[in-house]
Amino acid sequence: MLDSTIARIEGLRVEFQTKDGPVVGVEDVSFDIHPGETVCVVGESGSGKSVSSLSLMRLVEYGGGTIAGGRLLFERRDGKEIDLCDTDQDLMRTIRGNEIGMIFQEPMTALNPVFTVGRQLTEGLRVHKKFSKSQAEARALELLHQVRIPEPERRLHQYPHELSGGMRQRVVIAMALACEPRLLIADEPTTALDVTIQAEILALMDRLKRETGTAVMFITHDMAVVAQMADRVVVMFRGNKVEEGSVEEIFENPQHNYTRALLAAVPRLGEMTGTDLPQPMRLLGHKGAAPEPIKGTDEPLLTVKNLTTRFPVTGGFFRRLVANVHAVEDVSFTINRGQTLSLVGESGCGKSSAGRSLLRLVEPQSGSIHLGDTDILGLNVDSLRSARRDMQMIFQDPFASLNPQMRLLDQVAEPMRNYATASGKELEDRVAGLFDRVELPRSFMRRYPHELSGGQRQRIAIARALALNPKLIVADEAVSALDVSVQAQVLNLMMELQAELGVSYLFISHDMAVVERVSHYVGVMYLGRIVEIGPRRAVFENPQHPYTQALMKAVPIADPRRRKSEKDLNFKPIPSPIHPVDYEPEPSVYKEVTPGHNVLITDSGY
């Protein structure tokens, strides 16, 4: 064990005042962080992991919390140890950003929209390090190089909204590292990122930690990230530490029931190797036989041919059309009844636009979409409305897709009222039946969305999508914002409903392990095109397209003995999907590798 300790949390207790009296956010937590070590704090939403990190920064007070007990000992640069609990705010201002850096979960809220990236990067250096303007700018440029941002000179003069999510997150990391802090706190820094960018950022943080000897406190609920990053793991549950150990001990010999349940719920890439059909996960505490694989049928339900969707880019004085965003380019696929096709790829590859085009929530330029015998693109407004009874959508953010002022009973009943498929007592009985289906207590029917957790809200969204007995459900990143164990339950629920009701899914996701678990077929999208499509087993066990191979390589595996190194990752920057108005793309040409497994041979720039 290392002698020196950079930070020591002893018996921390944090309370929040509410109108119903004090609520305990963290009850009693103690652990140490040593130089050059990564301690991962894991647990689900509400377990108190973010509250612990905000206490170390003494930011918890700005969120209505008070540190009610315990000590937060921190060794400063000069070797003196201080207790952060009773440090005054002036000294805290010197320590924050200078000796303790923080990377927040949501980069858009951590950056100031009115200042350029350069201004925000140099601010801390000029305040804490007393750098001159030119010294600070040179250091800012060096930091952007370190976090591998393309064209860093240009980025310094841009504003946060001009960067993609992954780039904004890198800027936040560069800001946190600017003053070479002794302790870096990273709160879910890669949750909202794509696999490839996440892999790069994890490798980057690991390398910077080795080069600078910074200690890292890494907060996450993603167990694959823990396996990739951690030296030691602290598991939190309901405001308490339930287990602590080295990363190997926690993964290979977990002691606490909660840790075991957490690890059992993690879908691991490669678990389905050798099987052809999707199968619900076996969760801890569920007795009985293993769940049955889901066969589905070979009868096509949805046939999409040469689908193209573009968005206009206007400019100039008269807002003329100057270019098009080629969001979906010449995409064709079929979904069978009772089966799942997953579309995977990074943000901006066109997968959500493809899903929305099917329901005509965005209007495609050309192509054909047939649901059974219905030609979706040929329908007028009234016919489209009735055709939508057979196609429903589950969105990524259940909070944004539910009405905050309506009781849940009315939200789930609304589609049935709209289409007059049930009324009165029958309507209420059907809603109660849907609540049973998605395993929510009937007492929740009187509640409002804000009274539920994220996972429960997502179940309401599923119940509402099922209200009209649709044949097809488009699930757009429907589980990406959920905790591991809740995600496993929601995925199992979706698969059980598929087996029972014969519903088909178009499952849009960037989580390869989840896709492997639920899919019959997989299409990999890159720059608006499907670059590889086929049965899930063929695509996962024998990826042919270089982009699919790179994507598979980037997925972190929930096993600390199979870590990725930075040299495993070689991503090319994604070219722009914006083309001039007169640009005519080539048609997509595929070669069949094995029956049903097709790979794009047109040059897509990868």
Side-chain angles (χ1 to χ4, degrees):
M1 213 56 206
L2 304 166
D3 311 333
S4 59
T5 309
I6 281 191
R8 193 154 65 234
I9 297 178
E10 290 179 358
L12 177 68
R13 180 182 176 89
V14 181
E15 293 176 359
F16 291 86
Q17 296 304 323
T18 67
K19 46 182 196 298
D20 304 327
V23 170
V24 178
V26 172
E27 200 171 334
D28 177 14
V29 170
S30 307
F31 59 88
D32 299 351
I33 306 170
H34 301 287
E37 173 182 57
T38 301
V39 175
C40 278
V41 182
V42 297
E44 305 192 6
S45 321
S47 65
K49 52 189 195 306
S50 292
V51 174
S52 309
S53 69
L54 291 170
S55 304
L56 262 177
M57 292 288 270
R58 285 284 298 283
L59 291 171
V60 72
E61 286 126 80
Y62 296 100
T66 46
I67 297 174
R71 299 200 303 164
L72 297 169
L73 300 173
F74 175 66
E75 185 186 280
R76 297 197 59 192
R77 281 217 168 93
D78 56 16
K80 289 204 181 80
E81 192 171 68
I82 57 167
D83 183 353
L84 298 176
C85 289
D86 47 25
T87 305
D88 66 37
Q89 285 294 357
D90 283 346
L91 181 55
M92 277 312 299
R93 250 177 241 122
T94 314
I95 291 174
R96 254 185 237 130
N98 185 17
E99 299 187 36
I100 305 180
M102 180 132 188
I103 302 168
F104 292 95
Q105 180 167 0
E106 183 38 75
M108 206 53 205
T109 49
L111 294 170
N112 188 330
V114 299
F115 293 133
T116 62
V117 166
R119 165 88 189 262
Q120 297 186 57
L121 269 170
T122 53
E123 187 180 23
L125 292 164
R126 297 187 69 178
V127 171
H128 295 306
K129 296 278 190 225
K130 307 287 184 275
F131 277 20
S132 69
K133 191 171 182 219
S134 57
Q135 281 175 306
E137 278 175 3
R139 171 80 177 131
L141 197 59
E142 182 190 329
L143 283 161
L144 290 185
H145 273 295
Q146 260 188 338
V147 295
R148 303 236 167 103
I149 284 193
E151 306 173 75
E153 290 82 1
R154 208 175 111 225
R155 306 287 175 217
L156 283 176
H157 305 292
Q158 287 183 312
Y159 289 87
H161 70 267
E162 298 178 85
L163 306 181
S164 72
M167 280 197 216
R168 285 200 288 263
Q169 193 59 296
R170 290 175 203 213
V171 170
V172 173
I173 291 175
M175 278 167 67
L177 295 167
C179 297
E180 298 176 338
R182 291 173 58 69
L183 173 64
L184 181 63
I185 300 172
D187 188 359
E188 303 265 11
T190 60
T191 305
L193 302 180
D194 290 321
V195 192
T196 48
I197 296 167
Q198 168 176 300
E200 288 190 345
I201 282 182
L202 293 179
L204 162 87
M205 285 177 64
D206 209 42
R207 180 171 50 109
L208 295 174
K209 176 195 81 173
R210 284 197 310 274
E211 287 170 5
T212 59
T214 302
V216 181
M217 175 175 164
F218 198 101
I219 295 164
T220 181
H221 63 252
D222 184 334
M223 296 306 280
V225 170
V226 175
Q228 176 71 25
M229 295 292 287
D231 297 308
R232 267 185 316 122
V233 181
V234 172
V235 183
M236 286 186 67
F237 180 60
R238 295 194 183 155
N240 285 296
K241 175 177 90 173
V242 294
E243 188 163 353
E244 177 180 1
S246 74
V247 66
E248 289 83 10
E249 285 165 359
I250 295 286
F251 273 82
E252 289 161 18
N253 188 17
Q255 297 298 308
H256 194 277
N257 285 343
Y258 175 70
T259 315
R260 287 193 197 125
L262 202 60
L263 287 164
V266 180
R268 297 173 191 228
L269 192 68
E271 272 186 326
M272 306 293 285
T273 303
T275 60
D276 290 315
L277 299 171
Q279 189 174 3
M281 293 174 70
R282 183 122 195 221
L283 297 177
L284 268 196
H286 287 257
K287 303 282 182 283
E292 288 289 305
I294 300 163
K295 275 180 96 130
T297 67
D298 293 334
E299 179 195 348
L301 167 71
L302 179 83
T303 312
V304 176
K305 289 206 171 95
N306 312 111
L307 180 68
T308 298
T309 302
R310 294 175 190 162
F311 299 109
V313 179
T314 54
F317 191 59
F318 295 110
R319 314 293 299 146
R320 282 202 194 89
L321 179 67
V322 291
N324 283 305
V325 178
H326 290 243
V328 182
E329 196 58 62
D330 196 12
V331 160
S332 307
F333 57 82
T334 304
I335 302 180
N336 295 335
R337 286 179 195 273
Q339 291 198 341
T340 301
L341 166 75
S342 292
L343 288 181
V344 297
E346 298 180 66
S347 339
C349 71
K351 51 189 191 302
S352 291
S353 300
R356 287 163 191 248
S357 302
L358 299 184
L359 291 136
R360 276 178 63 188
L361 295 175
V362 295
E363 285 291 340
Q365 241 67 28
S366 60
S368 72
I369 302 170
H370 284 86
L371 185 76
D373 301 329
T374 315
D375 173 6
I376 300 294
L377 294 185
L379 299 176
N380 63 18
V381 176
D382 292 337
S383 324
L384 178 62
R385 185 172 183 273
S386 60
R388 280 195 180 144
R389 285 176 59 169
D390 291 331
M391 308 187 286
Q392 290 290 313
M393 187 142 188
I394 304 170
F395 294 95
Q396 176 168 2
D397 181 355
F399 202 60
S401 66
L402 294 172
N403 183 334
Q405 293 165 323
M406 273 168 78
R407 290 181 316 171
L408 300 174
L409 164 70
D410 299 320
Q411 308 220 28
V412 175
E414 194 176 23
M416 298 188 261
R417 284 205 183 100
N418 270 346
Y419 286 94
T421 57
S423 58
K425 179 83 180 76
E426 187 200 348
L427 181 79
E428 197 150 326
D429 288 347
R430 285 193 45 193
V431 172
L434 285 164
F435 270 72
D436 295 345
R437 273 254 156 86
V438 297
E439 295 170 15
L440 284 175
R442 291 183 176 197
S443 59
F444 277 31
M445 287 159 63
R446 309 262 167 267
R447 290 194 181 186
Y448 290 87
H450 70 269
E451 299 177 88
L452 270 59
S453 72
Q456 290 168 333
R457 286 200 285 264
Q458 200 54 293
R459 286 167 192 243
I460 294 291
I462 293 174
R464 187 178 56 182
L466 290 168
L468 297 168
N469 294 330
K471 295 175 181 150
L472 174 73
I473 291 181
V474 177
D476 187 1
E477 298 274 12
V479 294
S480 60
L482 305 179
D483 281 325
V484 190
S485 57
V486 179
Q487 171 180 297
Q489 290 161 11
V490 171
L491 286 174
N492 275 2
L493 170 72
M494 289 174 73
M495 288 192 267
E496 283 152 18
L497 292 167
Q498 181 171 52
E500 202 180 311
L501 307 172
V503 59
S504 304
Y505 293 117
L506 175 69
F507 194 89
I508 297 167
S509 178
H510 63 253
D511 187 330
M512 301 299 272
V514 166
V515 165
E516 185 186 34
R517 172 61 65 180
V518 303
S519 317
H520 293 83
Y521 290 87
V522 174
V524 179
M525 283 190 78
Y526 177 75
L527 267 186
R529 293 185 195 253
I530 289 183
V531 294
E532 184 159 358
I533 188 167
R536 186 261 309 150
R537 185 174 173 183
V539 174
F540 270 72
E541 294 180 26
N542 184 20
Q544 295 289 312
H545 194 276
Y547 178 68
T548 315
Q549 293 165 351
L551 206 55
M552 297 289 189
K553 232 187 204 147
V555 181
I557 297 170
D559 178 350
R561 298 190 191 280
R562 290 167 65 192
R563 293 192 170 182
K564 310 271 181 210
S565 73
E566 212 167 357
K567 59 179 186 295
D568 292 340
L569 312 169
N570 56 338
F571 294 108
K572 303 179 180 161
I574 296 181
S576 167
I578 301 174
H579 295 289
V581 182
D582 54 6
Y583 171 77
E584 273 307 316
E586 302 170 45
S588 302
V589 184
Y590 293 90
K591 114 172 163 250
E592 191 167 48
V593 191
T594 52
H597 182 185
N598 294 297
V599 181
L600 184 74
I601 48 178
T602 321
D603 174 35
S604 61
Y606 205 87

PDB file of all heavy atoms in Angstrom, residues 462-478:
ATOM      1  N   ILE A 462     -43.091   2.682 -22.113  1.00  0.00           N
ATOM      2  CA  ILE A 462     -43.314   1.391 -22.791  1.00  0.00           C
ATOM      3  C   ILE A 462     -44.800   1.024 -22.726  1.00  0.00           C
ATOM      4  O   ILE A 462     -45.400   0.591 -23.717  1.00  0.00           O
ATOM      5  CB  ILE A 462     -42.445   0.285 -22.156  1.00  0.00           C
ATOM      6  CG1 ILE A 462     -40.957   0.561 -22.431  1.00  0.00           C
ATOM      7  CG2 ILE A 462     -42.827  -1.099 -22.699  1.00  0.00           C
ATOM      8  CD1 ILE A 462     -39.998  -0.386 -21.725  1.00  0.00           C
ATOM      9  N   ALA A 463     -45.420   1.224 -21.546  1.00  0.00           N
ATOM     10  CA  ALA A 463     -46.845   0.901 -21.397  1.00  0.00           C
ATOM     11  C   ALA A 463     -47.670   1.725 -22.382  1.00  0.00           C
ATOM     12  O   ALA A 463     -48.589   1.218 -23.027  1.00  0.00           O
ATOM     13  CB  ALA A 463     -47.295   1.191 -19.963  1.00  0.00           C
ATOM     14  N   ARG A 464     -47.293   2.996 -22.544  1.00  0.00           N
ATOM     15  CA  ARG A 464     -48.050   3.866 -23.450  1.00  0.00           C
ATOM     16  C   ARG A 464     -47.865   3.422 -24.900  1.00  0.00           C
ATOM     17  O   ARG A 464     -48.799   3.447 -25.705  1.00  0.00           O
ATOM     18  CB  ARG A 464     -47.592   5.309 -23.266  1.00  0.00           C
ATOM     19  CG  ARG A 464     -48.420   6.308 -24.027  1.00  0.00           C
ATOM     20  CD  ARG A 464     -47.965   7.714 -23.778  1.00  0.00           C
ATOM     21  NE  ARG A 464     -46.556   7.892 -24.102  1.00  0.00           N
ATOM     22  CZ  ARG A 464     -45.909   9.027 -23.943  1.00  0.00           C
ATOM     23  NH1 ARG A 464     -46.525  10.072 -23.432  1.00  0.00           N
ATOM     24  NH2 ARG A 464     -44.638   9.132 -24.274  1.00  0.00           N
ATOM     25  N   ALA A 465     -46.629   2.992 -25.232  1.00  0.00           N
ATOM     26  CA  ALA A 465     -46.384   2.526 -26.605  1.00  0.00           C
ATOM     27  C   ALA A 465     -47.174   1.242 -26.891  1.00  0.00           C
ATOM     28  O   ALA A 465     -47.552   0.985 -28.033  1.00  0.00           O
ATOM     29  CB  ALA A 465     -44.891   2.285 -26.808  1.00  0.00           C
ATOM     30  N   LEU A 466     -47.423   0.441 -25.838  1.00  0.00           N
ATOM     31  CA  LEU A 466     -48.138  -0.831 -26.038  1.00  0.00           C
ATOM     32  C   LEU A 466     -49.657  -0.653 -26.051  1.00  0.00           C
ATOM     33  O   LEU A 466     -50.388  -1.588 -26.394  1.00  0.00           O
ATOM     34  CB  LEU A 466     -47.792  -1.807 -24.912  1.00  0.00           C
ATOM     35  CG  LEU A 466     -46.381  -2.375 -24.909  1.00  0.00           C
ATOM     36  CD1 LEU A 466     -46.103  -3.084 -23.593  1.00  0.00           C
ATOM     37  CD2 LEU A 466     -46.209  -3.349 -26.076  1.00  0.00           C
ATOM     38  N   ALA A 467     -50.145   0.551 -25.661  1.00  0.00           N
ATOM     39  CA  ALA A 467     -51.580   0.741 -25.435  1.00  0.00           C
ATOM     40  C   ALA A 467     -52.435   0.370 -26.645  1.00  0.00           C
ATOM     41  O   ALA A 467     -53.552  -0.109 -26.512  1.00  0.00           O
ATOM     42  CB  ALA A 467     -51.847   2.183 -25.013  1.00  0.00           C
ATOM     43  N   LEU A 468     -51.902   0.576 -27.853  1.00  0.00           N
ATOM     44  CA  LEU A 468     -52.717   0.326 -29.056  1.00  0.00           C
ATOM     45  C   LEU A 468     -52.392  -1.025 -29.707  1.00  0.00           C
ATOM     46  O   LEU A 468     -52.761  -1.265 -30.856  1.00  0.00           O
ATOM     47  CB  LEU A 468     -52.494   1.449 -30.062  1.00  0.00           C
ATOM     48  CG  LEU A 468     -52.938   2.841 -29.596  1.00  0.00           C
ATOM     49  CD1 LEU A 468     -52.425   3.905 -30.524  1.00  0.00           C
ATOM     50  CD2 LEU A 468     -54.457   2.898 -29.484  1.00  0.00           C
ATOM     51  N   ASN A 469     -51.677  -1.885 -28.971  1.00  0.00           N
ATOM     52  CA  ASN A 469     -51.233  -3.171 -29.545  1.00  0.00           C
ATOM     53  C   ASN A 469     -50.536  -2.988 -30.882  1.00  0.00           C
ATOM     54  O   ASN A 469     -50.962  -3.538 -31.903  1.00  0.00           O
ATOM     55  CB  ASN A 469     -52.423  -4.132 -29.748  1.00  0.00           C
ATOM     56  CG  ASN A 469     -53.005  -4.530 -28.415  1.00  0.00           C
ATOM     57  OD1 ASN A 469     -52.281  -4.580 -27.416  1.00  0.00           O
ATOM     58  ND2 ASN A 469     -54.297  -4.767 -28.380  1.00  0.00           N
ATOM     59  N   PRO A 470     -49.456  -2.204 -30.933  1.00  0.00           N
ATOM     60  CA  PRO A 470     -48.806  -1.948 -32.219  1.00  0.00           C
ATOM     61  C   PRO A 470     -48.089  -3.206 -32.716  1.00  0.00           C
ATOM     62  O   PRO A 470     -47.801  -4.117 -31.940  1.00  0.00           O
ATOM     63  CB  PRO A 470     -47.779  -0.861 -31.872  1.00  0.00           C
ATOM     64  CG  PRO A 470     -47.443  -1.121 -30.446  1.00  0.00           C
ATOM     65  CD  PRO A 470     -48.708  -1.617 -29.806  1.00  0.00           C
ATOM     66  N   LYS A 471     -47.795  -3.201 -34.028  1.00  0.00           N
ATOM     67  CA  LYS A 471     -47.029  -4.329 -34.587  1.00  0.00           C
ATOM     68  C   LYS A 471     -45.532  -4.025 -34.518  1.00  0.00           C
ATOM     69  O   LYS A 471     -44.713  -4.924 -34.489  1.00  0.00           O
ATOM     70  CB  LYS A 471     -47.444  -4.532 -36.053  1.00  0.00           C
ATOM     71  CG  LYS A 471     -48.904  -4.958 -36.169  1.00  0.00           C
ATOM     72  CD  LYS A 471     -49.327  -5.044 -37.629  1.00  0.00           C
ATOM     73  CE  LYS A 471     -50.793  -5.438 -37.723  1.00  0.00           C
ATOM     74  NZ  LYS A 471     -51.412  -4.882 -38.924  1.00  0.00           N
ATOM     75  N   LEU A 472     -45.205  -2.712 -34.563  1.00  0.00           N
ATOM     76  CA  LEU A 472     -43.793  -2.306 -34.585  1.00  0.00           C
ATOM     77  C   LEU A 472     -43.555  -1.225 -33.545  1.00  0.00           C
ATOM     78  O   LEU A 472     -44.334  -0.268 -33.451  1.00  0.00           O
ATOM     79  CB  LEU A 472     -43.437  -1.746 -35.974  1.00  0.00           C
ATOM     80  CG  LEU A 472     -42.033  -1.142 -36.111  1.00  0.00           C
ATOM     81  CD1 LEU A 472     -40.969  -2.230 -36.133  1.00  0.00           C
ATOM     82  CD2 LEU A 472     -41.928  -0.306 -37.390  1.00  0.00           C
ATOM     83  N   ILE A 473     -42.480  -1.373 -32.769  1.00  0.00           N
ATOM     84  CA  ILE A 473     -42.088  -0.301 -31.846  1.00  0.00           C
ATOM     85  C   ILE A 473     -40.662   0.131 -32.201  1.00  0.00           C
ATOM     86  O   ILE A 473     -39.770  -0.712 -32.319  1.00  0.00           O
ATOM     87  CB  ILE A 473     -42.153  -0.767 -30.380  1.00  0.00           C
ATOM     88  CG1 ILE A 473     -43.615  -0.999 -29.957  1.00  0.00           C
ATOM     89  CG2 ILE A 473     -41.507   0.268 -29.449  1.00  0.00           C
ATOM     90  CD1 ILE A 473     -43.801  -1.439 -28.522  1.00  0.00           C
ATOM     91  N   VAL A 474     -40.486   1.438 -32.403  1.00  0.00           N
ATOM     92  CA  VAL A 474     -39.140   1.981 -32.636  1.00  0.00           C
ATOM     93  C   VAL A 474     -38.623   2.447 -31.277  1.00  0.00           C
ATOM     94  O   VAL A 474     -39.184   3.364 -30.680  1.00  0.00           O
ATOM     95  CB  VAL A 474     -39.186   3.171 -33.622  1.00  0.00           C
ATOM     96  CG1 VAL A 474     -37.797   3.776 -33.803  1.00  0.00           C
ATOM     97  CG2 VAL A 474     -39.745   2.702 -34.971  1.00  0.00           C
ATOM     98  N   ALA A 475     -37.587   1.798 -30.761  1.00  0.00           N
ATOM     99  CA  ALA A 475     -37.039   2.151 -29.451  1.00  0.00           C
ATOM    100  C   ALA A 475     -35.744   2.917 -29.685  1.00  0.00           C
ATOM    101  O   ALA A 475     -34.737   2.329 -30.065  1.00  0.00           O
ATOM    102  CB  ALA A 475     -36.783   0.890 -28.637  1.00  0.00           C
ATOM    103  N   ASP A 476     -35.792   4.238 -29.499  1.00  0.00           N
ATOM    104  CA  ASP A 476     -34.634   5.086 -29.801  1.00  0.00           C
ATOM    105  C   ASP A 476     -33.820   5.297 -28.532  1.00  0.00           C
ATOM    106  O   ASP A 476     -34.177   6.123 -27.698  1.00  0.00           O
ATOM    107  CB  ASP A 476     -35.122   6.421 -30.369  1.00  0.00           C
ATOM    108  CG  ASP A 476     -33.963   7.284 -30.861  1.00  0.00           C
ATOM    109  OD1 ASP A 476     -32.810   6.823 -30.771  1.00  0.00           O
ATOM    110  OD2 ASP A 476     -34.212   8.408 -31.334  1.00  0.00           O
ATOM    111  N   GLU A 477     -32.716   4.553 -28.386  1.00  0.00           N
ATOM    112  CA  GLU A 477     -31.855   4.665 -27.192  1.00  0.00           C
ATOM    113  C   GLU A 477     -32.700   4.550 -25.922  1.00  0.00           C
ATOM    114  O   GLU A 477     -32.534   5.312 -24.971  1.00  0.00           O
ATOM    115  CB  GLU A 477     -31.134   6.024 -27.178  1.00  0.00           C
ATOM    116  CG  GLU A 477     -30.206   6.253 -28.345  1.00  0.00           C
ATOM    117  CD  GLU A 477     -28.810   5.699 -28.124  1.00  0.00           C
ATOM    118  OE1 GLU A 477     -28.623   4.941 -27.157  1.00  0.00           O
ATOM    119  OE2 GLU A 477     -27.916   6.014 -28.921  1.00  0.00           O
ATOM    120  N   ALA A 478     -33.634   3.577 -25.907  1.00  0.00           N
ATOM    121  CA  ALA A 478     -34.634   3.547 -24.830  1.00  0.00           C
ATOM    122  C   ALA A 478     -34.062   3.175 -23.475  1.00  0.00           C
ATOM    123  O   ALA A 478     -34.701   3.400 -22.457  1.00  0.00           O
ATOM    124  CB  ALA A 478     -35.754   2.571 -25.200  1.00  0.00           C
TER     125      ALA A 478
END
